[in-house]
Amino acid sequence: MEKLQLNSNQIIKIYYELGSIHKVAKYFKTSITPIKRILKENGINLTNRRFNVNKEYFNEINSEEKAYWLGFLFADGYIRERKSGNSLELKLSQKDESHLILFKENINSNHKIVYATNKVKYKNGFSESKMCHLAIYSNEIVNSIKKQGIHSRKTFTISKPIIKDELMSHFIRGYFDGDGSFSFNPKKYINKTQIISASIEFTKFIIDELYKNKIKIQLYNNIKLQIQNKVDNLNFYNYIYKNATIYLDRKKKKYEEFRKYYEYNY
């Protein structure tokens, strides 16, 4: 088989026009390996960034917005580390698509949201859930989020975030929006806040932080944190939503129903 001859000057010219080694490789109908070699040999600073993002966004958690999204990522985010590059990823139900779009806007990303249907098999059939998925391809943002406590296998390893005390309620609200729920049914005397975590250190942090704010929450089965009385649920509502400008509307509305039913105006 005849070896493909590549002209270095032409490759450099096309690279500057297209701005992506993948596009250049496709143009010449070859792999990216010889393209990268030729560009490096000619002292070209390689970039394959087809999408943009504020890669320094999580370097310092110094605002409500950043604390909230860090908490949300502690719950629902994950990172993937590969030889070809690393990514920060978030997958939500399509009913929360607007929240994923908001996250994109806040980190100044133009990465694409991908839509899919997840199927889970059961004994008597299967269930479907429509999901939306965002992958941020950036080694820099992955490195910064790792410094904030999120790792490849974070389920059992997350712990108290290193952020200022005045931002802690926003962080917990973010985590609650990712891995928490509120159930309210006055006819069955149900009013229950639940937060899920398999990390012993993280559940201890939540318990201690809420206790400092006069909110009692109990741990069940090592992973379920629950508040099951009206007063503490009201206090939790006031704690996480005080001065809040970013949250999942559907979860806040559930608490609003609870407050309205019992005529809580404080």
Side-chain angles (χ1 to χ4, degrees):
M1 185 176 181
E2 186 177 349
K3 187 176 180 180
L4 179 66
Q5 297 295 317
L6 297 172
N7 182 291
S8 297
N9 291 331
Q10 191 177 9
I11 286 174
I12 293 169
K13 177 178 178 292
I14 297 298
Y15 174 73
Y16 280 130
E17 289 177 1
L18 300 180
S20 163
I21 57 174
H22 282 279
K23 289 182 179 179
V24 175
K26 186 175 181 181
Y27 180 90
F28 287 103
K29 297 180 180 178
T30 185
S31 71
I32 65 170
T33 302
I35 303 298
K36 288 173 70 175
R37 176 179 54 77
I38 289 171
L39 292 174
K40 285 182 178 180
E41 286 174 351
N42 285 273
I44 306 298
N45 184 27
L46 295 181
T47 176
N48 192 37
R49 193 180 297 280
R50 291 170 290 175
F51 300 104
N52 299 316
V53 65
N54 178 2
K55 61 186 179 183
E56 299 176 352
Y57 183 85
F58 289 107
N59 283 3
E60 184 180 3
I61 307 302
N62 54 8
S63 67
E64 174 211 350
E65 179 188 292
K66 291 181 180 182
Y68 174 87
W69 286 122
L70 182 64
F72 198 90
L73 290 170
F74 261 55
D76 271 354
Y78 57 98
I79 62 175
R80 300 180 72 182
E81 297 176 280
R82 320 171 186 82
K83 290 182 180 179
S84 59
N86 304 329
S87 59
L88 170 65
E89 307 192 22
L90 193 56
K91 186 182 289 187
L92 303 179
S93 167
Q94 285 188 26
K95 66 183 176 184
D96 293 325
E97 177 192 7
S98 61
H99 214 54
L100 198 58
I101 292 171
L102 179 61
F103 176 63
K104 270 187 60 176
E105 292 173 353
N106 287 168
I107 63 173
N108 298 320
S109 165
N110 65 343
H111 290 74
K112 293 180 180 179
I113 294 176
V114 177
Y115 301 89
T117 300
N118 286 359
K119 293 184 179 181
V120 180
K121 263 192 172 184
Y122 294 102
K123 285 184 178 180
N124 299 320
F126 62 90
S127 67
E128 291 186 348
S129 54
K130 295 185 180 298
M131 308 297 292
C132 47
H133 176 219
L134 176 67
I136 306 295
Y137 296 96
S138 166
N139 289 334
E140 295 90 347
I141 206 167
V142 167
N143 289 336
S144 68
I145 206 73
K146 285 173 72 174
K147 290 177 182 177
Q148 299 297 345
I150 296 177
H151 301 280
S152 298
R153 296 177 178 86
K154 69 178 178 61
T155 303
F156 301 99
T157 62
I158 55 173
S159 58
K160 180 180 178 179
I162 306 172
I163 61 176
K164 295 177 180 178
D165 286 344
E166 58 263 33
L167 296 176
M168 208 61 81
S169 63
H170 303 304
F171 172 88
I172 290 177
R173 183 176 69 257
Y175 190 88
F176 170 78
D177 277 353
D179 262 345
S181 63
F182 178 62
S183 305
F184 176 58
N185 187 332
K187 293 181 179 179
K188 295 183 178 181
Y189 304 100
I190 295 173
N191 51 90
K192 180 176 71 177
T193 295
Q194 180 165 278
I195 298 172
I196 302 295
S197 175
S199 166
I200 295 172
E201 285 190 37
F202 192 75
T203 53
K204 185 180 183 304
F205 149 67
I206 294 287
I207 292 168
D208 291 345
E209 187 63 28
L210 295 186
Y211 183 78
K212 282 195 304 185
N213 290 275
K214 300 179 180 179
I215 303 165
K216 294 178 183 178
I217 190 166
Q218 295 180 303
L219 180 62
Y220 296 90
N221 299 324
N222 295 320
I223 63 169
K224 297 178 181 178
L225 289 163
Q226 295 181 352
I227 300 171
Q228 300 192 56
N229 67 76
K230 290 183 288 186
V231 172
D232 284 316
N233 272 310
L234 177 62
N235 289 341
F236 181 74
Y237 167 88
N238 288 331
Y239 170 71
I240 64 170
Y241 291 114
K242 183 180 180 181
N243 300 322
T245 62
I246 178 171
Y247 44 78
L248 266 177
D249 287 338
R250 62 181 177 84
K251 293 192 177 183
K252 187 172 186 289
K253 285 177 181 177
K254 202 72 177 176
Y255 279 110
E256 296 290 357
E257 292 174 19
F258 159 75
R259 293 178 74 243
K260 183 178 180 180
Y261 182 86
Y262 290 111
E263 298 181 349
Y264 290 137
N265 297 314
Y266 57 92

